[in-house]
Amino acid sequence: MPVTVDIEGGHGRSVSEVKENVSRIIELGAVGINIEDQRLFTGS
């Protein structure tokens, strides 16, 4: 079954982190990746 992944706020803080995370997702077999550009903040 084809699976797409939504990495909302979990894609990485740098270009190299994004590349690494996308590579891992592809290796796991995802056929699509939706990268949200929002930032998630915790705390005040």
Side-chain angles (χ1 to χ4, degrees):
M1 172 187 305
V3 175
T4 64
V5 178
D6 184 4
I7 52 176
E8 194 172 313
H11 45 76
R13 295 180 184 212
S14 67
V15 172
S16 60
E17 285 183 3
V18 174
K19 288 172 59 175
E20 184 176 333
N21 289 334
V22 168
S23 293
R24 287 180 181 172
I25 291 167
I26 291 169
E27 288 173 7
L28 291 171
V31 297
I33 302 170
N34 181 29
I35 300 175
E36 299 286 341
D37 62 354
Q38 72 180 4
R39 293 184 182 186
L40 301 178
F41 295 98
T42 59
S44 52

